[in-house]
Amino acid sequence: QVQLVESGGGLVQPGGSLTLSCAASGFRFSTYPMNWYRQAPGKERLWVADISSTGGTTSYVDSVKGRFTISRDNSKNTVYLIMNNLQPEDTAVYYCYGPTWGQGTQVTVSS
């Protein structure tokens, strides 16, 4: 079965950092581009970042450019989202997406 499992979410103060992980199984991870999305309360799920299958190309929504970094380790079947200088507007459930959706992990940025 195809499965994506996010972890690493939590509560952080504005300006803080957090790294999310997404562990993949059940498919050939190294052949898929991967994405991070997020969904704030009462809002639609929005794309945040993506990375090519080899990790050579990345892209980001404007609001996180310069603060977030998407990366992957194909030997570990894992994609990461390194989040720096977090702000309250980053508060959301973060989802990993490839051939399917993960269950999401909560990120809360609050003082």
Side-chain angles (χ1 to χ4, degrees):
Q1 61 273 51
V2 174
Q3 189 171 201
L4 298 173
V5 179
E6 301 95 334
S7 62
L11 175 64
V12 65
Q13 294 189 93
S17 298
L18 211 55
T19 297
L20 307 182
S21 298
C22 172
S25 59
F27 66 100
R28 292 182 63 171
F29 178 77
S30 64
T31 70
Y32 282 80
M34 296 296 294
N35 303 262
W36 285 98
Y37 285 73
R38 67 187 183 187
Q39 187 168 25
K43 302 295 183 67
E44 67 177 333
R45 191 172 300 181
L46 298 175
W47 171 83
V48 174
D50 64 60
I51 187 166
S52 61
S53 60
T54 64
T57 304
T58 60
S59 58
Y60 305 88
V61 67
D62 284 347
S63 59
V64 310
K65 286 180 180 175
R67 300 188 298 122
F68 290 12
T69 301
I70 187 171
S71 65
R72 68 193 296 160
D73 186 340
N74 284 347
S75 72
K76 296 181 178 179
N77 287 356
T78 302
V79 62
Y80 306 92
L81 187 66
I82 304 160
M83 305 182 293
N84 295 315
N85 192 24
L86 284 160
Q87 301 300 312
E89 54 263 39
D90 297 316
T91 295
V93 176
Y94 284 71
Y95 297 89
C96 184
Y97 175 69
T100 191
W101 293 95
Q103 85 289 348
T105 186
Q106 177 71 49
V107 172
T108 302
V109 185
S110 177
S111 59

